[in-house]
Amino acid sequence: MTIREFKMPDVGEGLTEAEILKWFVQPGDTVTDGQVVCEVETAKAAVELPIPFDGVVHALLFEEGTTVDVGQVIISVQTGPVGEEAAAAEVPATVAAAAPAAAPAPAQAEEPAAAARQPVLVGYGVSQASTKRRPRKAAGDVAAQNGTAAPAVVPAQPAAAQLVAAAAQNGTAAPAAAGAARALAKPPVRKLAKDLGIDLATVVPTGDGGVVTREDVHAAAAAAIAPQVAAPAAAAPAPVQAPAEVAAQAAPAQTGRETRIPVKGVRKVTAQAMVGSAFTAPHVTEFITFDVTRTMKLVQELKEDPDLAGLRINPLLLIAKAVLVAIRRNPDVNASWDEAAQEIVLKHYVNLGIAAATPRGLIVPNIKDAHAKTLRELSESLSDLVATARDGKTSPADMQNGTLTLTNVGVFGVDTGTPILNPGESAILAVGAIKLQPWVHKGKVKPRQVTTLALSFDHRLIDGELGSRFLADIAAVLEHPRRLVTWA
């Protein structure tokens, strides 16, 4: 029998880690190609992972609730005989250790395995394994993996990590890696540091293995604008923790007066995105209060229209349609800022984001090509989006490439707010509660349905004049909904 390994795939664009929510199999269970073995939560969505081969589960390498980096082995499976080359690449470290008499494979034998295609989610296709190496582990980290606190089964170490481990056992110093002076940070963190004008070499890392995190960059930015800047401390890797300590930190810690909840999953990425957006895009927020009585009457008429029977008709549907009409009249608001190329990218399509509060936290899926949809199609897309988000089945693709977002705070009875831009988008519109208020209508004070809209936009992309005209057009359509036809 041969032991094959299944690694954590990249279930979205550029994701680096995912949390294992639930295992659907246990050691000894038989699995088939395409069978879902676990559910994981990324920074964007909860998704199910299918196994890409048949066999019997040999070991689960991580417990539920553990956050695992993309590319790490999460499950091993006993399969039928395979070729010697594949077996050499797929046997885990513990199995290889059981046969000390076997001669080690030459370094060149690792190259085909490195270039092999990695299994990914059904529907996402397959991708070539990246030749970019992960940051080398420190000798202390490798020793911790080989110590008594390490799990019974661990994934095979990269060649670089094995060299460090061998050097540590022989009492010799491992050779310094080329470019060791370069700070360790993920690409999004490097971009954030560049946007904020922070030199990563001056940032004190707090991540595992001395990796600079977003929080480290923001802390450095805050210190840079303070009257007195403390001298940066020497970069030092975080102390290695035993798995028991890591598991203890993953669960909420409660005392008599406080409860501490680990920040992870959707909450973690939302926090990072909002901080990054607030520090990167110069926000401007404008407000407008107006009469929507005619729109509310139209909503009621559409609900009673037999041609629209079975559709979800509500004020948000007509507000979304009004936004699309206003974008057509002011196309320059539908854009994004390309910092690297120093260009403004005008979008000739509208992927309309809808902020949705779910049990997992706030997510912003978007309706692809909303500008091309009829009222019926837009209603169906909104209903599908809400149902999918409520069930926790929103895919990463549904939350990518948004251009502008709507957030309906009015459902909570809130009049308005100052929303923060979804990163990469030009504007976000907050819809306030629709209330019966005294209003001057045709020269007389009458009770009318009134609401307030708040538009936050990126001032790098949208000047005050353009933002004001865009917001005024949305209000004009909703005040006189016949403009849905005349302006369209």
Side-chain angles (χ1 to χ4, degrees):
M1 299 297 288
T2 301
I3 303 297
R4 298 189 66 179
E5 298 172 340
F6 178 56
K7 299 177 180 180
M8 176 69 74
D10 180 358
V11 297
E13 294 184 3
L15 296 179
T16 59
E17 63 184 16
E19 177 188 352
I20 297 176
L21 293 180
K22 183 178 182 180
W23 283 108
F24 298 118
V25 296
Q26 295 297 326
D29 291 351
T30 300
V31 294
T32 58
D33 186 358
Q35 178 180 340
V36 174
V37 294
C38 68
E39 182 181 29
V40 301
E41 182 182 50
T42 69
K44 297 182 177 180
V47 293
E48 296 177 338
L49 298 184
I51 197 80
F53 38 77
D54 301 334
V56 177
V57 177
H58 176 256
L60 307 179
L61 279 74
F62 294 95
E63 297 180 355
E64 293 178 356
T66 305
T67 299
V68 182
D69 288 338
V70 169
Q72 282 192 280
V73 178
I74 60 175
I75 182 174
S76 59
V77 176
Q78 292 182 352
T79 64
V82 296
E84 294 180 1
E85 180 178 345
E90 293 169 346
V91 173
T94 52
V95 177
Q108 291 80 357
E110 296 182 2
E111 296 302 324
R117 298 197 303 176
Q118 300 296 326
V120 297
L121 281 181
V122 175
Y124 288 90
V126 291
S127 59
Q128 296 292 342
S130 173
T131 56
K132 182 179 178 180
R133 298 180 180 176
R134 300 184 66 82
R136 289 183 172 87
K137 295 182 179 291
D141 294 332
V142 178
Q145 290 182 357
N146 295 333
T148 57
V153 182
V154 296
Q157 295 175 328
Q162 292 176 354
L163 291 175
V164 176
Q169 292 176 356
N170 296 332
T172 59
R182 188 176 184 226
L184 297 179
K186 296 177 181 178
V189 178
R190 294 188 181 279
K191 182 180 184 304
L192 175 63
K194 178 182 177 181
D195 293 341
L196 298 180
I198 300 299
D199 183 1
L200 283 176
T202 65
V203 178
V204 180
T206 62
D208 293 340
V211 175
V212 177
T213 66
R214 283 179 175 270
E215 290 74 15
D216 298 335
V217 174
H218 288 307
I225 61 177
Q228 296 180 349
V229 181
V240 177
Q241 296 175 320
E245 296 175 353
V246 175
Q249 292 180 0
Q254 185 166 355
T255 63
R257 295 169 62 86
E258 295 180 346
T259 299
R260 291 180 173 268
I261 302 175
V263 179
K264 56 185 179 180
V266 173
R267 174 58 58 191
K268 180 177 180 180
V269 74
T270 299
Q272 293 174 342
M274 293 299 97
V275 171
S277 177
F279 274 86
T280 303
H283 285 57
V284 174
T285 304
E286 294 186 342
F287 309 89
I288 188 168
T289 302
F290 59 99
D291 181 0
V292 291
T293 303
R294 294 185 180 91
T295 290
M296 297 305 292
K297 289 181 179 179
L298 178 58
V299 168
Q300 189 60 39
E301 292 174 0
L302 293 176
K303 286 182 178 180
E304 299 171 358
D305 190 331
D307 293 335
L308 299 177
L311 294 181
R312 184 186 180 96
I313 306 296
N314 55 25
L316 184 61
L317 172 63
L318 295 187
I319 292 171
K321 198 66 176 176
V323 168
L324 295 173
V325 170
I327 290 176
R328 177 174 294 186
R329 289 171 57 85
N330 304 275
D332 288 351
V333 304
N334 193 42
S336 63
W337 182 273
D338 188 335
E339 179 67 26
Q342 286 294 291
E343 294 176 341
I344 293 175
V345 183
L346 296 178
K347 308 293 179 67
H348 305 303
Y349 58 90
V350 180
N351 291 343
L352 186 62
I354 306 294
T358 73
R360 297 175 54 245
L362 176 67
I363 62 174
V364 187
N366 58 75
I367 300 173
K368 299 295 190 288
D369 293 327
H371 66 287
K373 294 184 181 294
T374 63
L375 188 67
R376 170 180 287 275
E377 293 169 340
L378 192 62
S379 175
E380 292 172 344
S381 297
L382 271 172
S383 298
D384 292 343
L385 180 149
V386 172
T388 303
R390 185 186 299 116
D391 295 339
K393 300 300 182 181
T394 303
S395 69
D398 291 335
M399 292 183 281
Q400 294 168 356
N401 303 318
T403 58
L404 188 144
T405 292
L406 295 182
T407 177
N408 187 7
V409 298
V411 296
F412 305 108
V414 175
D415 291 333
T416 188
T418 54
I420 296 178
L421 295 172
N422 202 26
E425 298 183 6
S426 60
I428 179 171
L429 182 73
V431 181
I434 299 174
K435 297 179 179 180
L436 195 64
Q437 297 182 18
W439 195 262
V440 177
H441 177 66
K442 296 182 179 179
K444 297 181 179 180
V445 177
K446 296 181 179 181
R448 304 287 288 181
Q449 300 278 3
V450 177
T451 191
T452 298
L453 300 181
L455 178 72
S456 292
F457 53 87
D458 186 341
H459 215 340
R460 297 174 301 178
L461 296 164
I462 302 175
D463 294 332
E465 179 191 3
L466 177 59
S468 299
R469 283 194 285 108
F470 177 58
L471 182 58
D473 280 353
I474 297 173
V477 171
L478 294 173
E479 195 164 15
H480 298 282
R482 67 176 181 272
R483 287 173 175 150
L484 287 171
V485 177
T486 59
W487 285 4

